[in-house]
Amino acid sequence: MKMNATKLYMLMRFTTALANSTMFTTYAIFYVATLGLSPLELLVVGTVLELTVVLFEGVTGVVADTYSRRLSMIIGMFVLGSGFVLQGVMGSLAGAPPLLPMFGWVLLAQVLFGVGHTFISGADTAWIADEAGEEQLGSLFMRAKRVSLVATMAGIGLSVYLSTQGAQLPYFVGGLMYMALGLLLILFMKETGFMPRMREAGSTAWQEMKTTWLTGVQVVRAQPILLLILIVTLFSGASSEGYDRLREAHLIREIGFPAAIPLSMAVWFGVMAVATAFLGLIGVKLTEKWLDINNERIVMTGMFMLTFLRLLAILFFALSPSFWWALAALLLIGVIEAISSPLYDTWLNMNIPSNVRATVLSMLSQSNALGQTAGGPAVGWVGSRISVRASLIVAAVLLSPILYVYGKAVRRS
């Protein structure tokens, strides 16, 4: 059985979105309600994950550009899957005396998450760009986003059901999905558009990877637009870490759910996730219809407007006086994220040469992770000393430098 690259990429995006939605729709119930992690501990979890990405991203990105994007992605699927399965298994032993405290197992799982992510990050985009061509990447990424949103809605119901059976089960099932995808890639994934770097006589593997890495550094230094992107990823990482880790805690601890509507916490998170995915799907479809997303200036203008709206929406969420106002802000942020993701990927790949694409994308991912590593604990400290609401305000403010960068990029384009 044969499967072309575009179909396999869509299947990969569907499966990873299904797995992620299954795990992360109700993860706050496991972390906050079941394990009782504090705001600072939630940020420490994120910091360990992002620090792992900082340490490993460069090496794995160079492996993808030097040897094989296919191999890098397959390894990543199995490492990620094993980390998720580990967290699911250890969560089922929460009442038993394991070798490590439960928080220690959570942190160990984050290390596996980070290592697995670095093998996939950059390699997947570089692979499909080489296989499908760069001319219509914007349209391809938009289609992939629509597919992933459909999978997200399917995974939400599964997540809610599994969470009612056991708060750790979504992680276990999601991990198995990643492993199954790894097997699928072994069977069907081809790599026809990538030419490995010619090795010099007598050079070692480390020397080859060093050459690839230095070439990537030269590309970034030679293109001002890539330096601007590095700034964007640094501050967006610092902001997103605070918002992503604390939004559920803000709902659970500081806002609360409507007592007049007798729904469990898991069901509420499921309903919100379905609404977010559905509205995001509509937003992506309208963006794809109305905008020429293969035009760099249009993409940049869109990113500027979406970042401004995201800043306002996070502030609105932080200051919401009631659940319904907070829900409106969450839905708006979800739509903004759904539209921003393919636009951002398009912008990146318009400015990165093919031969070092995975390496440069890994550098940018490192910058994002560095922002999360540096900004996460600071935002968490604010939450522990003042309130989660204050942390979210800080997360919104951290987006403000990005507006300047995007504005400058629009003028340059």
Side-chain angles (χ1 to χ4, degrees):
M1 178 180 177
K2 295 183 178 180
M3 186 180 300
N4 65 40
T6 300
K7 289 182 179 179
L8 182 60
Y9 181 70
M10 295 299 172
L11 179 60
M12 183 173 62
R13 290 294 298 270
F14 181 90
T15 306
T16 54
L18 179 65
N20 291 340
S21 178
T22 299
M23 291 182 289
F24 302 136
T25 296
T26 55
Y27 89 98
I29 297 174
F30 180 51
Y31 278 1
V32 179
T34 303
L35 298 184
L37 301 186
S38 68
L40 183 58
E41 286 174 325
L42 289 171
L43 269 298
V44 169
V45 168
T47 299
V48 170
L49 171 61
E50 299 306 331
L51 185 59
T52 303
V53 173
V54 170
L55 295 176
F56 287 90
E57 186 74 79
V59 175
T60 55
V62 172
V63 168
D65 270 336
T66 305
Y67 295 102
S68 170
R69 281 91 186 261
R70 176 181 180 272
L71 176 63
S72 184
M73 290 168 64
I74 291 172
I75 293 173
M77 294 299 175
F78 283 107
V79 175
L80 265 176
S82 64
F84 292 135
V85 168
L86 172 66
Q87 183 144 294
V89 170
M90 295 314 302
S92 65
L93 303 177
L99 297 176
L100 287 175
M102 186 54 59
F103 187 58
W105 286 111
V106 171
L107 296 183
L108 178 60
Q110 303 308 307
V111 174
L112 291 175
F113 298 169
V115 173
H117 168 78
T118 60
F119 274 102
I120 298 172
S121 171
D124 55 350
T125 304
W127 171 75
I128 191 59
D130 287 339
E131 298 296 317
E134 301 178 7
E135 296 79 11
Q136 299 298 319
L137 275 183
S139 300
L140 177 64
F141 289 146
M142 278 291 179
R143 286 165 50 204
K145 187 63 180 181
R146 285 194 280 118
V147 167
S148 66
L149 287 170
V150 171
T152 295
M153 287 189 284
I156 289 166
L158 181 58
S159 179
V160 172
Y161 169 75
L162 291 173
S163 181
T164 60
Q165 305 302 308
Q168 79 288 348
L169 282 179
Y171 276 103
F172 183 77
V173 173
L176 293 181
M177 290 182 190
Y178 267 97
M179 290 184 172
L181 182 56
L183 291 174
L184 194 69
L185 295 184
I186 291 174
L187 294 174
F188 298 112
M189 189 176 187
K190 306 299 181 184
E191 194 171 29
T192 60
F194 170 65
M195 295 296 294
R197 179 183 294 275
M198 295 294 294
R199 299 187 63 173
E200 298 180 5
S203 65
T204 65
W206 284 108
Q207 288 172 331
E208 290 298 318
M209 290 195 293
K210 178 182 177 182
T211 300
T212 303
W213 174 258
L214 291 177
T215 302
V217 171
Q218 291 170 358
V219 169
V220 172
R221 293 178 61 184
Q223 298 191 36
I225 188 65
L226 293 180
L227 293 175
L228 292 178
I229 295 174
L230 278 174
I231 298 174
V232 168
T233 57
L234 184 68
F235 281 94
S236 63
S239 173
S240 65
E241 181 68 1
Y243 173 73
D244 292 342
R245 296 289 174 178
L246 297 178
R247 59 185 174 188
E248 289 89 355
H250 183 48
L251 279 175
I252 293 172
R253 293 175 176 171
E254 298 190 359
I255 293 180
F257 296 91
I261 303 178
L263 295 179
S264 68
M265 194 182 302
V267 173
W268 267 118
F269 280 120
V271 169
M272 290 187 293
V274 168
T276 300
F278 180 73
L279 293 175
L281 186 60
I282 295 174
V284 170
K285 183 64 177 178
L286 293 177
T287 302
E288 190 177 9
K289 180 180 179 180
W290 291 344
L291 298 182
D292 179 9
I293 54 177
N294 297 304
N295 182 304
E296 184 173 3
R297 182 174 178 83
I298 291 176
V299 170
M300 286 306 312
T301 303
M303 291 301 300
F304 176 86
M305 295 301 299
L306 290 170
T307 302
F308 180 67
L309 289 174
R310 179 180 171 86
L311 189 157
L312 294 180
I314 295 177
L315 284 175
F316 190 73
F317 175 65
L319 301 174
S320 294
S322 68
F323 171 80
W324 299 109
W325 287 104
L327 176 61
L330 283 174
L331 294 178
L332 177 58
I333 294 169
V335 173
I336 292 170
E337 290 177 344
I339 299 173
S340 298
S341 176
L343 291 181
Y344 179 72
D345 289 341
T346 301
W347 181 43
L348 290 184
N349 286 278
M350 285 177 173
N351 293 280
I352 303 175
S354 173
N355 64 318
V356 290
R357 180 171 279 121
T359 300
V360 174
L361 289 174
S362 291
M363 290 178 183
L364 298 176
S365 182
Q366 273 186 308
S367 177
N368 181 279
L370 183 61
Q372 296 195 42
T373 302
V379 174
W381 180 83
V382 172
S384 296
R385 293 297 299 270
I386 305 175
S387 68
V388 175
R389 198 181 299 269
S391 289
L392 291 169
I393 293 174
V394 173
V397 171
L398 286 171
L399 288 174
S400 54
I402 302 177
L403 291 174
Y404 169 77
V405 173
Y406 280 145
K408 187 173 183 179
V410 170
R411 291 192 296 271
R412 295 174 70 95
S413 65

